[in-house]
Amino acid sequence: MSVTQPLSGGEQNAAPEGGTPHREGFRFHDLSDPDPSKFAQAWLEHQLRRLGDAREAVLLLRDDDKSLRVAGALPMGGESSEPLRACVEATISRGRAVARTVGDDLFIGCPSASGDTIVGVVALVLPATRIAGLVLAALRWGAGWILGWFADRAR
């Protein structure tokens, strides 16, 4: 499985001081939008609001050509840091969640899988004071939305 260039996204707003960026006009029903970029950004924004203190995040979704593509990110439109990219690659290659502390940062990667097929990967950077198991529990809850979205697209 390869990781390729980002999918196109919607209009983005900068984050308020110390806050999470948001898209103008966010609606909860964006989580059922058939457009991958709209769904991905809505899902990522929802997760980041629940977690509250992510410094960097990326969501990759499986595309029609079986590649995982960047579909949502924090900061919006920015390049992921090398440690976050390494976290994504480790999550994909191991096929399971990974967590690693580097200095003051906790890197967490969590796959969404249907059978043996990874359909999505979220990776984020949080303060190292966060408890990895609790963050993973929240991400696994959110993975149900990703699996449901893919099931809806298959119909």
Side-chain angles (χ1 to χ4, degrees), residues 7 46-49 54 63 66 83 85-87 91 96 100 102 123 132 154:
L7 298 173
H46 181 69
Q47 289 294 339
L48 295 178
R49 266 196 297 284
D63 205 351
K66 311 279 189 265
R85 286 194 302 269
C87 181
T91 303
R96 62 179 173 79
R100 184 175 138 200
V102 178

Side-chain angles (χ1 to χ4, degrees), residues 37-101:
S37 61
K38 289 181 183 176
F39 164 78
Q41 200 62 44
W43 184 91
L44 191 59
E45 290 171 10
H46 181 69
Q47 289 294 339
L48 295 178
R49 266 196 297 284
R50 291 181 71 227
L51 294 170
D53 55 357
R55 297 176 180 159
E56 186 180 2
V58 64
L59 173 63
L60 292 83
L61 294 177
R62 185 181 173 127
D63 205 351
D64 294 333
D65 69 358
K66 311 279 189 265
S67 295
L68 286 172
R69 295 187 186 271
V70 175
L74 168 72
M76 310 301 182
E79 282 288 315
S80 297
S81 67
E82 183 57 39
L84 188 63
R85 286 194 302 269
C87 181
V88 168
E89 293 296 334
T91 303
I92 293 168
S93 68
R94 295 177 187 171
R96 62 179 173 79
V98 298
R100 184 175 138 200
T101 301

